[in-house]
Amino acid sequence: MSTREKMNIGELYTDMGEGLPEERRDGKERVYDYNLTRPSEEEQRQQLLKAIMGSLGKSCWIEPPLRVAYGTHIHIGNHFYANFNLTVVDDATVTIGDNVMFAPNVTLATAGHPIDPEIRATGQQFSLPIVIEDNVWLGTGVMVNPGVTIGRNSVVGAGSVVTKSIPANVVATGVPCRVMRPITAADRETFMK
């Protein structure tokens, strides 16, 4: 099995062959250029985002600075917004749906390292995909760990560390993140008065 095949299924691998160091460097070069654009260079930013990401939908905006491991393993739907300091460790695939919003300092990390110190000392790691479904909002400083799916319409509160998948249509928060309550009609009424 190739390293690239191992990168999405949780198998241990080292990412120093198969062109991976070059791919990471190329992604970081594109992100460097993106982060140096002026606020008025909106068209250039959009072109660079399309070059950085594996796929990018319509009406997407990411406030610089942005950090990625590769960039090419990130797939973003339509109408996405990320505020400052988005970090995506995309060794495995990261899929972000439509109408998703990220507050500042969100981190999505698909990669992890073995707990056993002898195995960890070998430089091996593992990765699992992350999925953020449609209409999700991640609050400031949310961290999402490998293998997590956040269900459609859900809201994850500021400062949460998401270690397990979150179902659809809930508010979740905490360290570790857990479901606090469902999203209800009362949430609509609060802002529709």
Side-chain angles (χ1 to χ4, degrees), residues 55-193:
S55 61
L56 185 70
K58 299 177 200 170
S59 301
C60 295
W61 188 262
I62 299 174
E63 296 286 352
L66 165 67
R67 299 283 182 255
V68 301
Y70 293 85
T72 54
H73 303 153
I74 304 167
H75 302 278
I76 300 175
N78 298 318
H79 310 289
F80 172 69
Y81 175 78
N83 213 321
F84 308 106
N85 297 316
L86 172 61
T87 299
V88 185
V89 182
D90 62 312
D91 291 46
T93 303
V94 173
T95 305
I96 299 170
D98 296 337
N99 304 305
V100 171
M101 296 189 316
F102 292 172
N105 301 311
V106 167
T107 299
L108 309 178
T110 66
H113 300 275
I115 292 173
D116 181 275
E118 290 180 21
I119 298 172
R120 192 171 58 248
T122 68
Q124 295 184 87
Q125 63 189 53
F126 65 90
S127 297
L128 290 166
I130 290 174
V131 177
I132 310 295
E133 294 182 350
D134 295 345
N135 304 311
V136 166
W137 172 27
L138 301 184
T140 301
V142 168
M143 292 184 236
V144 180
N145 284 358
V148 165
T149 294
I150 298 177
R152 64 183 294 119
N153 303 322
S154 287
V155 175
V156 178
S160 297
V161 178
V162 188
T163 60
K164 295 184 180 186
S165 292
I166 301 296
N169 301 303
V170 299
V171 175
T173 190
V175 179
C177 189
R178 61 192 182 285
V179 173
M180 302 307 287
R181 64 178 180 84
I183 295 172
T184 68
D187 293 304
R188 174 182 292 270
E189 293 166 10
T190 300
F191 293 100
M192 298 302 284
K193 293 179 182 181

